[in-house]
Amino acid sequence: MSAMDDKKLSSNVLQMKFMQRSKRRMDQEEVDVTQKELQKEYLASEEVDSTQPGPSTGSSSKARTIIYEQRFDLLEDLLFGRMSFKGFNPDVEKLMVYYHELKNGGKGDLEDGELDESKDIQDDEMANRLGAASTVGKRFKTKRQRANDNDKGAGRNSKEDSAQSVPEKRRKFMKPRD
Amino acid sequence: MSVVYLPGDKLPVSTGKEALIVGPGVSRADDRLVATQAGVLRSKQQPFSCWMDAHVRRYVPVRGDKVIGVITGKAGEAWKVDVGAAELATVSFLSFEGATKRNRPSLKTGDLIYCQVLLAMKDMEPEVVCIDSEGKSRGLGALPDGGLLLKCSLNLVRRLLSAKCALLPTLGKELRFEITCGMNGRVWIKSNSHKETIAIAQIILKSEFLNESQISELIRTIIDRCRGF
């Protein structure tokens, strides 16, 4: 096939009916080649509008990379639009601090660890109120451990207050007197 | 003396190979940069950027801008918001912090919202949201009741919000107020009394064509007048 491609077929041969199909194919290939060349030319003449520096094709080595930016707050480095002075709106004052920190260094924390505004009572306050320090721990102890604790508690307190540390007597069934 | 360029003027931007950020009002024509708006050329180093600072009152929505919108009505699962653009923008019910299908934000016609432009294309109606990509409002959302809404030029708002302008901090030392500036040329002010609110509005509007030293004089004059001296 490569030999045939190197030599051009004579026009007489191409006019023959059995050659029509391949003639059409060759014309199409020619058209494709010219189209591709035109495309390449057109793209090369356009500026490379990308964020990556450096040229991608030969002729655009003269072109600079240009980025189009329409946002003024990025171009002019504007502040956040909401401001409050002398404590008129404390939420907005907090926002001002947040955005100021955001600009000057790293991410600020709008909701500082403890203050989750969706909750009326914060987590730590709730836990303390429910008695997390002692009662929740008891739930996960085994019976033996609980018994030991009670004995220990009883043992320590017996010197000071023996009456309280005596365990409650189990009430027996009392027969009703008729 | 700053030079004012007219549309069509070639801008004296250095030709080179480094990356260049082209802002609004500047366009590229072959090898040169050309002004498309009448105004003063502003530039910034690192990365090198240039844009036109033009006196414009009409707002064209840009994605990412934070603007003040006025609710004008409902449309299905969204509100119609007047943002100052050619078309009314929409804000979905779910674009607020903590909003669910059952828990809708309570807004009525006429309420003001501070929102961010999400979608802004030439042929589509803009869409705004009161939430950021993490789902937090961080200052966006409905503005408090009361206060005064001003309409001014876009460049005045940009000046108020720039780090170099001392107008708002100076005012903040004298008066107790709250202010929200939308990039669409709308400024909302709320203060303790109507008198103070009007004084602040006057200061903002009159400061447009004054320089920094004149602004402090202006503030002094108007506040004295407000306090009755």
Side-chain angles (χ1 to χ4, degrees):
Chain A
M1 276 301 171
S2 55
M4 273 171 69
D5 288 346
D6 286 338
K7 294 179 193 168
K8 278 190 188 162
L9 294 167
S10 68
S11 50
N12 283 329
V13 173
L14 284 173
Q15 270 171 11
M16 292 182 190
K17 197 155 183 198
F18 64 87
M19 286 300 283
Q20 285 313 305
R21 214 189 196 181
S22 26
K23 186 183 178 197
R24 242 183 288 142
R25 184 176 53 87
M26 285 170 73
D27 286 342
Q28 191 62 37
E29 275 176 18
E30 243 183 75
V31 166
D32 280 342
V33 163
T34 46
Q35 280 279 355
K36 276 199 178 141
E37 277 183 14
L38 276 174
Q39 242 185 18
K40 227 180 171 183
E41 235 183 81
Y42 176 73
L43 288 175
S45 71
E46 285 266 305
E47 206 89 49
V48 178
D49 290 358
S50 69
T51 53
Q52 289 164 351
S56 54
T57 61
S59 60
S60 70
S61 56
K62 301 173 201 167
R64 300 167 85 150
T65 50
I66 288 191
I67 307 166
Y68 292 95
E69 177 67 72
Q70 290 289 108
R71 290 184 59 180
F72 273 110
D73 42 358
L74 296 179
L75 287 172
E76 292 186 0
D77 213 10
L78 298 179
L79 304 169
F80 183 60
R82 293 191 75 173
M83 295 186 225
S84 153
F85 298 98
K86 291 199 181 218
F88 191 80
N89 188 335
D91 297 328
V92 176
E93 304 232 349
K94 256 187 257 174
L95 277 168
M96 282 170 77
V97 172
Y98 167 73
Y99 278 105
H100 181 77
E101 272 179 32
L102 204 67
K103 243 189 202 182
N104 290 2
K107 286 192 175 169
D109 199 10
L110 192 58
E111 290 136 21
D112 41 326
E114 282 90 76
L115 213 66
D116 185 2
E117 277 156 2
S118 63
K119 299 179 188 171
D120 286 330
I121 303 170
Q122 302 307 320
D123 290 337
D124 48 0
E125 201 183 317
M126 187 75 175
N128 284 333
R129 190 58 64 98
L130 289 175
S134 53
T135 51
V136 175
K138 279 188 197 172
R139 189 200 165 130
F140 298 101
K141 281 188 191 163
T142 63
K143 215 170 175 179
R144 190 145 293 189
Q145 285 174 326
R146 255 181 276 139
N148 283 340
D149 280 351
N150 274 343
D151 281 349
K152 279 183 188 166
R156 281 193 209 114
N157 286 339
S158 61
K159 291 174 189 176
E160 293 147 11
D161 215 345
S162 54
Q164 279 180 0
S165 63
V166 168
E168 262 190 27
K169 263 190 179 174
R170 221 179 163 178
R171 286 194 198 151
K172 290 180 187 169
F173 173 69
M174 287 174 62
K175 198 168 180 184
R177 279 180 241 161
D178 286 302
Chain B
M1 271 299 274
S2 16
V3 183
V4 171
Y5 293 98
L6 296 178
D9 286 352
K10 291 199 168 72
L11 301 175
V13 174
S14 61
T15 48
K17 279 202 181 170
E18 66 278 5
L20 165 68
I21 298 181
V22 166
V26 178
S27 153
R28 190 189 55 84
D30 299 327
D31 262 351
R32 300 293 301 273
L33 290 181
V34 156
T36 54
Q37 276 182 332
V40 179
L41 181 68
R42 303 274 187 220
S43 59
K44 187 172 86 164
Q45 306 295 333
Q46 220 129 66
F48 183 72
S49 348
C50 65
W51 65 93
M52 292 306 283
D53 192 5
H55 176 81
V56 186
R57 288 188 74 94
R58 178 160 301 147
Y59 177 62
V60 173
V62 169
R63 180 186 151 94
D65 265 0
K66 295 191 170 68
V67 296
I68 296 181
V70 184
I71 309 268
T72 53
K74 266 194 211 180
E77 285 283 309
W79 276 296
K80 284 287 187 186
V81 180
D82 170 28
V83 141
E87 296 211 17
L88 292 178
T90 52
V91 63
S92 161
F93 288 158
L94 300 172
S95 305
F96 291 83
E97 185 169 5
T100 58
K101 282 192 178 161
R102 287 189 182 177
N103 177 21
R104 286 184 181 176
S106 56
L107 292 176
K108 329 175 282 293
T109 308
D111 278 353
L112 297 174
I113 53 169
Y114 189 53
C115 46
Q116 203 173 15
V117 178
L118 183 72
L119 181 72
M121 308 208 86
K122 198 174 60 158
D123 309 307
M124 292 171 69
E125 64 177 22
E127 186 181 342
V128 292
V129 290
C130 287
I131 212 174
D132 67 2
S133 53
E134 290 174 17
K136 305 269 174 166
S137 63
R138 298 222 168 97
L140 303 175
L143 293 177
D145 282 333
L148 175 70
L149 184 69
L150 279 182
K151 282 208 178 79
C152 60
S153 60
L154 308 190
N155 46 306
L156 177 61
V157 175
R158 278 184 261 128
R159 185 189 184 178
L160 287 176
L161 292 180
S162 80
K164 297 177 209 162
C165 179
L167 188 145
L168 289 177
T170 316
L171 262 182
K173 286 185 198 146
E174 308 272 351
L175 295 172
R176 191 166 175 266
F177 66 100
E178 180 192 356
I179 188 169
T180 300
C181 308
M183 298 291 285
N184 53 343
R186 292 182 182 179
V187 177
W188 177 81
I189 311 164
K190 186 173 181 189
S191 180
N192 278 332
S193 67
H194 291 303
K195 216 173 177 179
E196 285 185 24
T197 311
I198 293 174
I200 297 166
Q202 278 190 337
I203 291 170
I204 288 174
L205 289 175
K206 287 189 180 174
S207 71
E208 182 164 3
F209 302 111
L210 302 179
N211 57 30
E212 294 288 315
S213 56
Q214 290 169 324
I215 284 177
S216 41
E217 267 180 56
L218 172 75
I219 292 176
R220 190 81 268 143
T221 328
I222 293 189
I223 290 183
D224 286 344
R225 198 195 306 163
C226 165
R227 288 182 179 155
F229 293 118

